[in-house]
């Protein structure tokens, strides 16, 4: 198990516990996502519905809300949950128990190993902006997850960026507060760097800015 964890990594995820997870859905998907970040919950679910497969892994699972509300291609998908926070894994796995998910407690900033077959889709929503380091340093996450992705598979998700022209005054103020408290670490996360790094590493990807968020879809070529 890759559990090389520094203080910044711990601080970024420890805000999520059984108490905060109890109000997570309302706080994030009713109050913040649309009104503040400018990316509607419906659009997030559309991203999942358009890209999720029956062989899926979700990384940075939060409360499991999106997996609970999206539409899998079948009623019996193979589902894996990956997070550093055990409370998030416990909460989400219980919520999604109808799918019998397998849980992996991992630090995704370090190389990831699992004794399982690869996945056809991997989602990573609202995670990058919580990780420590510069945008360039965070991109190792894509490298680590790409190795778990089967040929023809897709990685998709969203992250909050600091330089969107569509960010509201309140969104910028809240981002500044979250960065000060260590909940976010995205002061230097900008769309130019994200676009450049994705262009350097992947032949086929989509990247769209909506409000304060950037949505991404990365396609792995078939062999």
């Amino acid at each position: 198990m890759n559990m090389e964890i520094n203080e910044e990594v711990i601080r970024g995820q420890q805000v999520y516990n059984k108490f905060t997870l109890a109000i997570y859905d309302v706080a994030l998907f009713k109050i913040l996502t649309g009104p503040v970040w400018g990316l509607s919950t419906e659009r997030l679910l559309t991203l999942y519905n358009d890209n999720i497969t029956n062989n899926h892994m979700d990384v940075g699972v939060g409360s499991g809300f999106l997996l609970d509300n999206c539409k899998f291609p079948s009623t019996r998908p193979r589902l894996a949950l990956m997070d550093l926070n055990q409370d998030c894994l416990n909460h989400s796995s219980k919520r999604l128990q109808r799918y019998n998910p397998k849980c992996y407690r991992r630090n995704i900033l370090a190389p990831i190993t699992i004794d399982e077959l690869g996945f056809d889709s991997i989602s990573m929503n609202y995670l990058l902006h919580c990780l420590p380091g510069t945008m360039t340093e965070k991109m190792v996450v894509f490298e680590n997850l790409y190795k778990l992705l089967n040929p023809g598979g897709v990685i998709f998700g969203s992250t909050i960026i600091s330089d969107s022209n569509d960010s509201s005054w309140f969104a910028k103020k809240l981002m500044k507060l979250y960065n000060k408290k260590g909940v976010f670490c995205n002061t230097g996360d900008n769309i130019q760097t994200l676009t450049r790094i994705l262009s350097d590493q992947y032949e086929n990807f989509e990247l769209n800015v909506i409000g304060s968020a950037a949505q991404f879809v990365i396609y792995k070529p078939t062999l």
Side-chain angles (χ1 to χ4, degrees), residues 64-78:
F65 173 88
L66 293 171
L67 291 174
D68 192 28
N69 288 277
C70 73
K71 298 176 182 178
F72 283 91
S74 78
T75 57
R76 292 190 175 183
R78 175 197 175 207

Side-chain angles (χ1 to χ4, degrees), residues 24 43 68 96 99 122 175 181 198:
Y24 184 91
R43 190 151 189 168
D68 192 28
L96 299 162
Y99 298 132
I122 299 175
M175 257 187 272
K181 288 183 173 294
L198 290 179

Side-chain angles (χ1 to χ4, degrees), residues 43-53 55-59 66-67 70-72 120-128 142 145 149 153-159 206 214-219:
R43 190 151 189 168
L44 285 174
L45 285 171
T46 296
L47 182 69
Y48 271 68
N49 292 337
D50 287 347
N51 292 285
I52 204 163
T53 69
N55 181 19
H56 182 74
M57 180 170 71
D58 194 73
V59 182
L66 293 171
L67 291 174
C70 73
K71 298 176 182 178
F72 283 91
D120 295 326
S121 56
I122 299 175
S123 53
M124 181 172 55
N125 194 67
Y126 284 168
L127 176 61
L128 283 178
F142 287 102
L145 295 178
L149 192 66
V154 60
I155 297 174
F156 64 92
S158 305
T159 186
E206 298 175 11
Q215 281 193 328
F216 53 84
V217 183
I218 301 170
Y219 302 93

Side-chain angles (χ1 to χ4, degrees), residues 100-130:
N100 192 29
K102 187 160 186 178
C103 295
Y104 299 94
R105 186 168 182 250
R106 298 290 191 274
N107 172 19
I108 61 169
L109 290 169
I112 301 168
T113 57
I114 59 173
D115 296 327
E116 297 283 347
L117 298 173
F119 300 92
D120 295 326
S121 56
I122 299 175
S123 53
M124 181 172 55
N125 194 67
Y126 284 168
L127 176 61
L128 283 178
H129 58 254
C130 297

Side-chain angles (χ1 to χ4, degrees), residues 1-214:
M1 184 179 292
N2 65 335
M3 298 304 290
E4 303 170 13
I5 309 170
N6 62 33
E7 185 178 343
E8 285 183 303
V9 174
I10 293 172
R11 187 171 63 248
Q13 58 85 45
Q14 66 185 3
V15 67
Y16 303 103
N17 54 56
K18 60 183 180 180
F19 302 107
T20 57
L21 287 169
I23 61 170
Y24 184 91
D25 290 356
V26 172
L28 182 59
F29 297 107
K30 297 294 185 182
I31 299 174
L32 291 177
T33 288
V36 178
W37 305 135
L39 176 62
S40 69
T41 298
E42 290 74 18
R43 190 151 189 168
L44 285 174
L45 285 171
T46 296
L47 182 69
Y48 271 68
N49 292 337
D50 287 347
N51 292 285
I52 204 163
T53 69
N54 283 323
N55 181 19
H56 182 74
M57 180 170 71
D58 194 73
V59 182
V61 296
S63 68
F65 173 88
L66 293 171
L67 291 174
D68 192 28
N69 288 277
C70 73
K71 298 176 182 178
F72 283 91
S74 78
T75 57
R76 292 190 175 183
R78 175 197 175 207
L79 177 62
L81 308 176
M82 183 174 289
D83 205 296
L84 180 60
N85 188 303
Q86 191 63 50
D87 284 333
C88 289
L89 290 173
N90 293 342
H91 183 97
S92 296
S93 61
K94 183 178 181 180
R95 183 175 193 169
L96 299 162
Q97 59 184 331
R98 66 188 182 277
Y99 298 132
N100 192 29
K102 187 160 186 178
C103 295
Y104 299 94
R105 186 168 182 250
R106 298 290 191 274
N107 172 19
I108 61 169
L109 290 169
I112 301 168
T113 57
I114 59 173
D115 296 327
E116 297 283 347
L117 298 173
F119 300 92
D120 295 326
S121 56
I122 299 175
S123 53
M124 181 172 55
N125 194 67
Y126 284 168
L127 176 61
L128 283 178
H129 58 254
C130 297
L131 299 177
T134 65
M135 179 64 80
T136 301
E137 292 168 336
K138 295 178 189 184
M139 294 306 287
V140 69
V141 170
F142 287 102
E143 296 175 25
N144 293 335
L145 295 178
Y146 198 76
K147 294 174 183 177
L148 306 180
L149 192 66
N150 290 330
V154 60
I155 297 174
F156 64 92
S158 305
T159 186
I160 305 300
I161 55 174
S162 63
D163 69 332
S164 173
N165 293 328
D166 296 325
S167 286
S168 67
W169 174 88
F170 184 68
K172 292 176 181 178
K173 289 294 183 181
L174 189 59
M175 257 187 272
K176 185 176 180 179
L177 175 63
Y178 280 180
N179 275 276
K180 184 177 180 179
K181 288 183 173 294
V183 178
F184 279 13
C185 184
N186 74 335
T187 301
D189 289 7
N190 60 73
I191 194 63
Q192 291 84 4
T193 302
L194 182 57
T195 302
R196 175 179 56 79
I197 296 174
L198 290 179
S199 298
D200 289 344
Q201 294 184 351
Y202 307 105
E203 294 182 8
N204 193 0
F205 71 92
E206 298 175 11
L207 185 60
N208 297 297
V209 177
I210 306 133
S212 300

